[in-house]
Amino acid sequence: MSANVLDIALTVLLVAAAVWTVSTARMLRSVIGLAATSALLTAILFRLDSPLAAVFELSVCAGLIPAILVSAVGLTARMDDDALARRKRAKLKVFALLPVILAAAAWALVRLNVPLDFALPAAQGPGATVQTTLWNLRQADLVGQIAVLLAAAFGVVVLLKGKSQ
Amino acid sequence: MLDLFILAPLACLILINLPPVGSRRLALPLAMVLAGVQAIAVLCLPYMPRLDGPLTSFFNFGLQITPLGRMLLLAVGLVAFVSLLVGQASLGQDRRLWQFASMMLLAITGMNGAVLVSDLFSLYVFMEVLAVCSFILIAFNRDPLALEGAFKYVILSAVASVLMLGSLSLMLLVAGSTGFAALKAALAAGSASPLLKLAMAGFVCGLFIKGGLAPFHAWLPGAYSSAPAAVSVLLAGVGTKVSGLYALLRLAMDVLPPSAALGQAVMVVGAFSMVVGAVAALVQKDIKRLLAYSSISQMGYVVLAAGCFLADAGSADWRLVAAGELAMAGAIFHLFNHSVFKSLLFVNSAAVERQAGTTDMQLLGGLGSRMPVTGATSVIAALSTAGVPPLAGFWSKLVIILALWQSGMQAYALLAVAVSVATLGYLLLMQRRVFFGRTAPNLQGVREGSEGYVVAELILATVTVLVGLAFPLLMHLGSFLLPANLNL
Amino acid sequence: MSPNLLLLAILVPAAAGVLALLMRGRAGAVSGPWALLATAANLGLGIFLFDKQADLNLPWAGFGLQFVLRLYQFSGFIVLATACFGLLVALYSIRFMAGRANRNQFYGWMLLSLAMVNGAVLANHLVVLLFFWEGLLGTLFAMIAIGRPGAWRTATKAFIIIGISDVCMMLGMALAGWQAHTLIISDIHLPLTTSVCTAAFVLLMIGAISKGGSMPFHSWIPDAAVDAPLPFMAFLPASLEKLLGIYWLARISLDLFELTPDAWVSPLMMIVGAATILLAVSMALVQKDYKRLLAYHAISQVGYMVLGIGTAVPLGIVGGLFHMLNNAIYKSGLFLTGGAVEHATGTTDLKQLGGLGRRMPVTFACFFILAASISGVPWTNGFFSKELIYDGALARHWIFYAAALLGSVLTAASFLKLGHAAYLGKPAENSDVKFDQVREAPPSMLLPIVILAAACLVFGLGNALPIDHLIAPAFAGTHFAAAEHGAAEHFAGWPESSMLVLMTCLALAAAIINHLLGAKRAGSGLGAVDHIHHAPGLAQIYDAAGKRYFDPYDIGMALAKVASRILWLIDRLIDGVVAGLTSGTARGAGYAVSAAHTGSYALYVVWSILGAAAVAAYMLMH
């Protein structure tokens, strides 16, 4: 029971953090929100017995790449007060729609009678640690992962270092 | 052997980033050599003995190469080489060149990886590598328009990632693995399950976003037209082809079960892109935007043919199956041809932008006499795009249209012909506005672009002409370009 | 023998021709000997290939297009014959063309023409045939266009006339291929019973007879005779095009379709043939120019071949084919004598000539033999082939025989006039020609003429040689030969019907008497037929013909002008309505699509999600 409550609480927090991230007008808050979302997601993944995915999430999706781009955009255009006010109004409209969309999706899932209960595949063996899984089974992904990190690092250099034009 | 396609660019990347800093000057030449060697190595690949060195036993990437993959690797090598040439001609400072070369090497890693892996999740990871590189490369010059273009791409890529990861999780749930072979078996066994249908639809739609098919294309015109010239060449030539179209074709052949419904849906998207891209291209004022819409339209052909393959593959009538295979052959061939002629057109536009200072067609005119090589190669590329014989584009379109006709989809075939006519229309319009007519007074001093542009243009034009002329030969040789199991 | 050798017959002259085209400027001096060498090689190849059989099948562009060549008796015969003419004309041209600026072009196009003819003759696939057929049209255009200044106008005329008939031929090919379910020529065997097959035959026939130069596709030939370099006339209209056109006519009549006397196309061909004979020869009769006169005969003689093949009886067909060979020999010979005269005197205007017989005895002697041959004097080759055609025509209806015989009378009369005006009598007064300086043509020009004249006699006296060894094998294997056993024996030798021989002799006598009386009345050889020219009724017709009122090309062009004016008006109308509408719609749609790209991220995301939802929904519903 308490586990369920925790799960639901985490999920709600996750959604709230994500909404805040998108809706806040200040760049710094937005980045913090993204990091918070990511941290919550990591926690959920750990709760779901998926340390592998949690590690991935922490490493890549912790907002590094999007943060770079968001700040790059921030470099070029700062919002004035008018724009902020307009944005606030627009934001309300968008989030009023959110529950409607969610409800429609849920209705569609029920109506279309998508079976959500089926046998889960067997979990990987007890010896499957992060290292063995990564090295033995997902070596290619590891390389890809490294490349993504490298690309992100170079992105920082390319986009943020040196004078802005 | 195949590991090298992924490891060599990474090794080069490390090499050019090692101190002393003086080695940075060699960054771009090194990357060019790598790309050139890749193109040649792919051509030699069928004749090389399998070299299982210590590298292969140490790494375990589970790589696989198919005829489609070989063709894409060739296109990646060729277009990356050309893009680096253009980069060298347009970027100037050593520091920027070094940064550009580094990003290009990473992009090559991503593309090669995506082409070679045989696991759906790995495919996704390498597509992300390419995507991250693309974001950064588009915004490379940090001008506001380019940042906006990159940002649109980020947003829609995020949607694509959601769709693909969601579908992946559903597939993993059912198959227990994300390897192509396991997925194929699981999907074939449970093809009636709504959950799997949802998963397939989601993944394919993610690929549509990545490949820029209408109505998922909205990021593409902005990204192509605002990116630096060299990046446009790479993105339009192979970038979106690898991440969207290659994956779609590979899945259609190796993973997805034959399904008329999926095939029909894919064909509708393809036909829609074909028409929307061509119609929008008709009224564009900017060369690069026009070319971007043209890309959308041309990718429509490829997707249409892929859909035809999916729809026909499950048929009991062997003639329909053969027609489907022909369609797939046409799709693969057109993908390659498009890589060549579209990057050529982007190189042309880059040369025009560099020399005349703008890509707005209303301000241009009569450049053909000032820039003879650019003008002539641009005409070749335009004719090839429109499918005028005997250039390469003619044959691939012909194969696609024939296959559609043989599959009993005459309406789609006629639509494809009609769009071809429209393609010729807007490309000739572009030629007329840019290269023919009277030279505007402010353009009197314009000269031909530097050697980088000219060499790039000549290489690509030669390829498109040669492939066109040698097509009958390629057909008979059992062929590098077309799958061997094709019966014509 | 490897079938690949067939490719040599096309590639050797083609390559030599391209090389000759490249010999510009000073190198042009080499082009003549080079062409001689190449045509000699071509002849060697022709001799080697003769009497052999081979099939070559190269996959070409996929999609059922194959490069198929077939060598058998008939095609081997034509290749050999064209190779002979090629060599003779090349030999002749060396002196004739010497010093002219564009001689390398002449030799280049000539060799390319040879390649095209070889290709067309050997082709065993309709598309391949069409390719070479049209290629020959291209080289024809070029060879006329390099003539005297302004010749391009005539070249265009020839191009348009032949082009139109080639379109007919293309349609015919499409119909024939559709009916026979194959484009391989040797696999096509169609009966002439259905209307579609008949239409296909007529369309193909139009292509064939227009290549041969029959009426009503003839009117460029007399113009070309004046404008083009003279050896061209001896080479293409007089020999190669006749050979190719009649070869194809024979192929469609004998192989591709089963032409029988019952089919209505048979009388059609005979009418076309008879009309061509009479109309062209009456025009020839009144010409005052050596080359133009010969050109009209080049047209008139095709009539005999079309008539002969059109009879659809073995005698007539063999006669037609034999006449094709004979005509090529004496007609190119006659053109070459014209060239010799032009070379010696600088003109071919008969009013300025006369009495050349003493100055140019060899040329005159050869002219005498060649003219006798074309007039059908006994023991010449023309006599034997004409007798065969008469026999065939008489078997169908006496009216065709009468027309052919009348044609012979007029042919003889016009050659009597030509010979008299050019070679006999006194040199014309107030002429620009300096008769004291006129010399016999150089040996390299005489040799081809002598060879051709000798061939006329050899093929006449020993007519069994060509008939049994060249014509009959080509005729064998057709549906006629199957019906007539031992066909070959009939045709050679002295004509069976003494009646016909007698009639021919009477006709020749009539021509001679007419000439003697006419010459006496007019006082000169040139005016020997003036009494016909100026006869009441005929005078007006000749006058109108002289003003080109009867030239189908000029009539067509006049009509085309009116039609194009009307079409232009209609076109404007359609442009306004349809084109404006479609381009307007396209532009409107384009702007609408462009306007939909507002740059709003949210909108773009919504598009994508809606698209994905639609795809998913479609998948789930099926």
Side-chain angles (χ1 to χ4, degrees), chain C residues 6 46 49-54 70-83 117-118 120-124 185-186 208 240 242-256 305 309 316-325 466-480:
Chain C
L6 293 187
L49 292 178
F50 181 67
D51 226 7
K52 292 200 172 58
Q53 306 213 354
R70 174 162 177 248
L71 174 71
Y72 72 118
Q73 297 94 335
F74 199 0
S75 51
F77 156 45
I78 302 286
V79 168
L80 178 62
T82 56
V117 171
N118 281 348
V121 170
L122 291 172
N124 196 23
I185 295 174
S186 57
L240 257 61
K242 295 281 176 292
L243 287 170
L244 183 59
I246 300 303
Y247 163 76
W248 181 237
L249 186 66
R251 286 297 305 273
I252 58 172
S253 306
L254 301 177
D255 290 356
L256 276 73
M305 305 166 211
I309 292 176
I317 293 173
V318 169
L321 291 177
F322 190 29
H323 201 65
M324 160 188 85
L325 180 61
I467 291 186
D468 289 349
H469 292 97
L470 299 175
I471 314 289
F475 190 62
T478 64
H479 64 281
F480 289 105

Side-chain angles (χ1 to χ4, degrees), chain C residues 9-170:
Chain C
I10 298 165
L11 293 179
V12 167
V18 171
L19 263 175
L21 283 180
L22 294 177
M23 296 176 182
R24 292 157 76 175
R26 239 172 235 192
V30 203
S31 61
W34 169 250
L36 191 65
L37 202 70
T39 47
N42 185 44
L43 178 61
L45 209 57
I47 294 172
F48 174 75
L49 292 178
F50 181 67
D51 226 7
K52 292 200 172 58
Q53 306 213 354
D55 282 285
L56 176 73
N57 190 346
L58 293 177
W60 200 5
F63 309 112
L65 275 186
Q66 297 146 304
F67 192 83
V68 194
L69 299 181
R70 174 162 177 248
L71 174 71
Y72 72 118
Q73 297 94 335
F74 199 0
S75 51
F77 156 45
I78 302 286
V79 168
L80 178 62
T82 56
C84 290
F85 288 111
L87 180 63
L88 291 178
V89 171
L91 177 62
Y92 182 87
S93 307
I94 288 181
R95 276 307 293 270
F96 190 88
M97 298 298 288
R100 299 198 187 194
N102 48 16
R103 64 200 149 175
N104 70 312
Q105 286 200 43
F106 172 79
Y107 292 117
W109 295 119
M110 183 182 134
L111 289 167
L112 281 174
S113 302
L114 265 180
M116 295 300 163
V117 171
N118 281 348
V121 170
L122 291 172
N124 196 23
H125 189 287
L126 286 175
V127 176
V128 179
L129 172 73
L130 191 66
F131 174 80
F132 288 113
W133 194 271
E134 300 296 328
L136 187 63
L137 176 57
T139 57
L140 173 87
F141 177 86
M143 284 183 88
I144 300 178
I146 59 172
R148 68 177 196 187
W152 61 269
R153 211 180 283 276
T154 306
T156 313
K157 183 174 175 179
F159 193 83
I160 290 179
I161 292 175
I162 303 182
I164 288 172
S165 58
D166 283 358
V167 170
C168 295
M169 179 146 151
M170 248 180 259

Side-chain angles (χ1 to χ4, degrees), chain C residues 8 30 38 135 172 233 254 326 396 447 547 578 609:
Chain C
L8 281 183
V30 203
M233 290 305 290
L254 301 177
N326 295 337
R396 296 301 304 277
L447 186 64
K547 288 178 185 157
V578 179
I609 290 173

Side-chain angles (χ1 to χ4, degrees), chain A residues 76 118 121 138-139 141 165, chain B residues 60 119 122 141 147 173 195:
Chain A
T76 59
F118 46 87
R138 317 251 30 128
Q139 218 178 61
D141 301 352
Q165 287 166 346
Chain B
N60 174 25
D119 179 289
S122 306
N141 282 346
L147 281 168
L173 209 60
L195 207 63

